[in-house]
Amino acid sequence: QITLKESGPTLVKPTQTLTLTCTFSGFSLSTNDVGVGWIRQPPGKALEWLALIYWDDDKRYSPSLKSRLTITKDTSKNQVVLTMTNMDPVDTATYYCAHSHNYFDYWGQGTLVTVSS
Amino acid sequence: DIQMTQSPSTLSASVGDRVTITCRASQSISSWLAWYEQKPGKVPKLLIYKASSLESGVPSRFSGSGSGTEFTLTISSLQPDDFATYYCQQYNSYSLTFGQGTKLEIK
């Protein structure tokens, strides 16, 4: 059974760096063709893909956010970490991590991050 | 970047109706397209991958078709549980893209 869970702060101030952790079980990120991605959704708006890391440590980023994002994995801990720098109120959203074969078949419950002073 | 455009943005339909949602890519994505369903306050759920492959456990009234730049999601006979927002997502290119969503409402 594959499960994922996001953790991190619920409130960050403008200009701060957001660090989110995805802790998963039921699969290994050392298995061929497996990845973990991050997707966000501002309140009432559409899904937006942010980043994806693969079993072989290949990393992909949304072009519009690439300069602000870093994705890493710790295979031994079954965790993937996303950092986003220079947070702004427009980054207020629910952030999801998801198991990926380039599409996303298992999702975490999501964590709402609010950016406000 | 590959842009994904869904139409319509909102669709009103009745239980039992056959409905079709369209997703167009700004360039060819072969068959590298997925469809998701999201209900209010819930996590997105994968319905279809590789344009037409039904995810395990998804009812057979859902089907996907298309290749290249034009794709469709069809629900053959709407059930009360199907009123939700539907998203397409391409995974052909280095960067992934979701469509803007189609909200399926009760008429």
Side-chain angles (χ1 to χ4, degrees):
Chain A
Q1 178 190 0
I2 290 176
T3 64
L4 304 97
K5 187 173 184 179
E6 306 86 354
S7 59
T10 58
L11 179 66
V12 297
K13 295 184 184 330
T15 75
Q16 286 186 337
T17 294
L18 171 69
T19 300
L20 293 173
T21 300
C22 177
T23 303
F24 57 85
S25 63
F27 68 96
S28 171
L29 245 185
S30 57
T31 301
N32 283 20
D33 299 329
V34 170
V36 171
W38 287 92
I39 304 101
R40 71 178 179 180
Q41 186 172 38
K45 296 189 177 181
L47 300 168
E48 179 184 18
W49 171 71
L50 300 177
L52 180 53
I53 189 164
Y54 293 92
W55 62 280
D56 59 356
D57 210 37
D58 182 22
K59 301 169 186 177
R60 302 187 181 187
Y61 297 100
S62 166
S64 63
L65 293 167
K66 184 174 183 177
S67 63
R68 299 173 54 203
L69 294 173
T70 304
I71 190 169
T72 60
K73 64 181 175 71
D74 186 330
T75 305
S76 64
K77 292 184 178 179
N78 281 355
Q79 290 182 332
V80 171
V81 175
L82 181 75
T83 61
M84 180 180 290
T85 62
N86 194 24
M87 293 292 285
D88 183 272
V90 300
D91 296 314
T92 293
T94 296
Y95 287 76
Y96 298 99
C97 66
H99 175 272
S100 177
H101 292 289
N102 296 321
Y103 55 87
F104 302 102
D105 50 358
Y106 296 91
W107 294 62
Q109 64 192 20
T111 185
L112 176 61
V113 177
T114 300
V115 184
S116 174
S117 55
Chain B
D1 297 1
I2 297 177
Q3 309 302 319
M4 305 302 293
T5 304
Q6 291 182 231
S7 60
S9 295
T10 306
L11 177 58
S12 296
S14 301
V15 172
D17 284 354
R18 178 184 179 89
V19 299
T20 298
I21 298 169
T22 298
C23 180
R24 289 187 173 88
S26 59
Q27 63 190 73
S28 178
I29 58 170
S30 185
S31 295
W32 304 118
L33 185 98
W35 288 97
Y36 302 85
E37 172 190 85
Q38 187 180 32
K39 297 175 184 175
K42 301 296 186 183
V43 175
K45 173 187 174 184
L46 176 68
L47 300 174
I48 303 278
Y49 61 95
K50 207 175 177 185
S52 61
S53 296
L54 194 68
E55 174 71 348
S56 177
V58 174
S60 59
R61 63 180 180 273
F62 291 92
S63 64
S65 65
S67 66
T69 62
E70 186 153 337
F71 301 85
T72 58
L73 173 70
T74 299
I75 308 173
S76 60
S77 178
L78 268 178
Q79 300 301 300
D81 193 46
D82 299 337
F83 292 95
T85 299
Y86 293 85
Y87 294 95
C88 61
Q89 177 233 324
Q90 69 81 17
Y91 52 101
N92 177 71
S93 70
Y94 179 89
S95 68
L96 314 180
T97 324
F98 286 92
Q100 83 279 14
T102 294
K103 186 175 182 180
L104 182 51
E105 298 180 329
I106 300 173
K107 183 183 283 186

